[in-house]
Amino acid sequence: MFKEVMQDVRSGAVTLPARSTLLLGWLGLALMFCFVFWYYPGAFGTASSKVLGWVSSLLYLADHPAVYAQVQVLLNGLYLLTSVAMLDFVALLFVYRSLDEVQNMGAGWKGVLGVSLRALWRLLLLQFILGIIISLCALGINAYNFLYLLPLPFTSLPEGALLMALWLASLVLYAFAYAVSKPKSKIFRIGWLLLKKHSQFWFILMVLVFLIAWAPAALLDKLGANIDGVCAAVCVFVFTLLHVGVLTVLVAYFLNIPDVWKLEEPQSAN
């Protein structure tokens, strides 16, 4: 399938988003990943300390370690939720802008921004529920921390790469399902039909994202390379570009399939 996709792209049979959209998608996701992992933790920690100080809770928490531990859990959860929300929002913007351009909808950035914001809260609720389920299943694992649920575009850990693949594939699946669901209560049904009718598409997307996120980092790790600081930031930018490239080609191809939106199951005869 991927070979056919590339042939169609080269032949012009597939309409790709504008180059400006590709550039903004790459920069947006790359900068957001860098912000979430390098700058946001410090900013979030500083803001949390000020809030706790404003409510005069620090002295109380210092004398109650159990309560302090629960507050730390809540703060970590809030950090995870807001971090994923920022990554989700940038990715949704890119997907809906690509959809707008490929399908010639004429919504513009204002319309894309609106639909991305409306789709975001439902997606966050779904991710929150899934995160709770995963965390409950991992209660017996001492080394587990729910901060591990953050998607990583570049990691030598196979489970981290798998999470990245699941995050990106599920986000795109949700974005498509939300776009075509009328009413929005049909999102899960439409999402299941998209997954079932185009399972090969989603499988290839996940495999490619997994390999991009894990294989280069695992190789560098095996060679003993020290990836940190500026080098790590460069790797995040480069491999985010690869993720967006795969996402762009496959999403554009998916949107160009004539019968892709015929998702309703045939009614059974009475």
Side-chain angles (χ1 to χ4, degrees):
M1 178 182 177
F2 189 67
K3 182 178 180 181
E4 296 175 358
V5 172
M6 296 306 299
Q7 289 176 345
D8 287 344
V9 170
R10 286 195 294 265
S11 67
V14 167
T15 304
L16 290 174
R19 292 180 181 177
S20 59
T21 298
L22 304 184
L23 179 61
L24 288 174
W26 170 49
L27 289 176
L29 278 172
L31 290 173
M32 188 57 71
F33 270 116
C34 288
F35 175 75
V36 164
F37 288 107
W38 281 296
Y39 299 105
Y40 186 54
F44 183 85
T46 300
S48 299
S49 297
K50 289 184 177 180
V51 170
L52 290 174
W54 289 338
V55 297
S56 303
S57 298
L58 286 177
L59 292 177
Y60 175 80
L61 293 176
D63 295 330
H64 297 78
V67 177
Y68 182 70
Q70 294 304 315
V71 171
Q72 282 186 311
V73 170
L74 289 175
L75 289 176
N76 285 340
L78 182 59
Y79 166 76
L80 175 64
L81 187 64
T82 52
S83 297
V84 172
M86 289 186 286
L87 294 172
D88 284 346
F89 180 63
V90 175
L92 285 172
L93 277 177
F94 176 72
V95 171
Y96 285 134
R97 180 60 179 175
S98 299
L99 188 153
D100 182 49
E101 291 179 346
V102 171
Q103 291 292 331
N104 243 345
M105 294 180 174
W109 279 107
K110 184 177 180 180
V112 168
L113 178 63
V115 71
S116 298
L117 288 172
R118 291 193 297 272
L120 179 62
W121 73 268
R122 293 174 184 264
L123 177 60
L124 276 177
L125 179 60
L126 176 61
Q127 290 172 332
F128 177 77
I129 294 172
L130 290 175
I132 293 295
I133 294 174
I134 293 173
S135 297
L136 289 175
C137 293
L139 282 177
I141 304 176
N142 293 330
Y144 175 76
N145 187 318
F146 53 75
L147 290 178
Y148 295 156
L149 295 176
L150 273 175
L152 303 169
F154 179 75
T155 175
S156 60
L157 300 175
E159 58 270 26
L162 178 60
L163 177 65
M164 177 68 186
L166 289 171
W167 171 73
L168 189 57
S170 62
L171 185 143
V172 176
L173 177 64
Y174 170 85
F176 287 155
Y178 183 86
V180 301
S181 297
K182 295 180 181 179
K184 298 307 178 188
S185 58
K186 291 185 176 181
I187 289 177
F188 290 105
R189 180 173 180 274
I190 295 298
W192 169 247
L193 291 175
L194 276 170
L195 183 64
K196 184 173 65 172
K197 288 178 178 282
H198 303 279
S199 56
Q200 187 181 26
F201 165 82
W202 302 110
F203 176 75
I204 291 176
L205 174 62
M206 287 188 62
V207 168
L208 289 175
V209 172
F210 175 86
L211 291 176
I212 291 171
W214 171 76
L219 177 61
L220 290 172
D221 190 52
K222 188 174 182 179
L223 295 174
N226 186 19
I227 306 297
D228 57 9
V230 176
C231 185
V234 171
C235 287
V236 169
F237 266 81
V238 170
F239 288 99
T240 302
L241 171 61
L242 293 178
H243 288 303
V244 175
V246 170
L247 175 64
T248 300
V249 173
L250 291 179
V251 166
Y253 182 79
F254 192 68
L255 293 172
N256 277 269
I257 298 175
D259 64 345
V260 72
W261 306 118
K262 295 179 181 179
L263 303 173
E264 295 295 331
E265 296 279 17
Q267 299 293 327
S268 58
N270 293 328

